[in-house]
Amino acid sequence: MADRKCLALIAHDQKKDDLAAFVKANEAVFATCKIVATGTTGGRVLDVCPGLDITRLKSGPLGGDQQIGALIATGDVDCLIFFVDPLTPMPHDVDVKALMRLAIVYDIPMALNRATAEELIAFRRN
Ligand SMILES: O=C(CO)COP(=O)(O)O
């Protein structure tokens, strides 16, 4: 994945509407990027922004978080936006934790809620 920035988008189920609305509101910024997303999240974002360049990976509980972690490790993801649901237990919590750990290890920007994502996007818009 060459020159355009590659963003990874993920949202837990209770946050998917919020992420889709956030991407829609900032569609012009996202249109300048390549995007990878976990399966269901990517589908939901494409429903509202069908023109975006989104590669959908596996669903999170089936390995999608790990796929994005691997892309971070190979230097192919520049930024992670992950709308996390802190109130619901997840069967794949270890995968989520491993993904966040790799984002820290490789020191890429990581927004885990909308407020931080707004700041990241504002930075890219300017
Ligand atoms: O579970 C997820 C992240 O941990 C998200 O996966 P989906 O986008 O496939 O729902």
Side-chain angles (χ1 to χ4, degrees):
M1 301 186 196
D3 22 87
R4 271 186 301 156
K5 289 282 182 192
C6 181
L7 299 182
L9 293 178
I10 314 177
H12 285 146
D13 288 351
Q14 299 303 315
K15 299 288 180 177
K16 283 182 170 66
D17 287 346
D18 199 18
L19 181 67
F22 170 73
V23 175
K24 183 70 185 167
N26 295 285
E27 191 170 357
V29 175
F30 285 99
T32 66
C33 304
K34 290 184 176 184
I35 298 168
V36 293
T38 49
T40 319
T41 299
R44 290 287 294 279
V45 172
L46 280 170
D47 285 344
V48 294
C49 300
L52 291 181
D53 177 8
I54 301 182
T55 301
R56 293 171 64 194
L57 303 174
K58 286 187 175 287
S59 184
L62 298 178
D65 296 286
Q66 295 219 14
Q67 286 183 293
I68 290 178
L71 289 171
I72 292 171
T74 52
D76 291 314
V77 164
D78 303 294
C79 175
L80 172 62
I81 294 176
F82 189 171
F83 283 18
V84 172
D85 172 8
L87 300 177
T88 306
M90 306 282 163
H92 59 302
D93 196 51
V94 288
D95 293 22
V96 173
K97 196 171 174 188
L99 169 61
M100 292 177 185
R101 180 181 171 277
L102 286 172
I104 295 166
V105 167
Y106 289 93
D107 195 26
I108 65 163
M110 170 171 58
L112 299 179
N113 61 16
R114 185 166 183 159
T116 313
E118 297 279 7
E119 295 291 331
L120 269 181
I121 289 298
F123 185 72
R124 289 200 59 80
R125 206 185 286 122
N126 300 327

